[in-house]
Amino acid sequence: MVGAPPQFLRINAAQCAREALAGFERGDAMVFPGRSYRFLMRALPLLPLWLRRRQAANAAARLRAGQLRTG
């Protein structure tokens, strides 16, 4: 599927629901389900701003070009 996350970031729906509900019960304002995704989201602020901007620009260009459409 075009635009799907890489295999190492994928989790099943049951695991996603369990982790989301557990975060809700803990009172977390934001929950990132899946160990790999959670690690990446916590590491993101450590990357230089120029790198984050370049990645966002690349993703936006692919989205405008229709490369990330799933349907």
Side-chain angles (χ1 to χ4, degrees), residues 26-56:
R26 287 191 307 268
D28 293 345
M30 205 175 319
V31 177
F32 300 112
R35 184 176 292 139
S36 299
Y37 186 65
R38 189 168 36 256
F39 172 77
L40 287 176
M41 294 309 292
R42 287 182 179 159
L44 191 61
L46 303 176
L47 296 175
L49 185 57
W50 65 267
L51 184 61
R52 289 184 279 162
R53 285 182 175 162
R54 182 166 39 164
Q55 177 59 30

Side-chain angles (χ1 to χ4, degrees), residues 10-27:
R10 296 180 195 171
I11 61 172
N12 62 41
Q15 179 184 354
C16 182
R18 278 193 306 272
E19 292 186 26
L21 289 173
F24 176 76
E25 289 174 355
R26 287 191 307 268

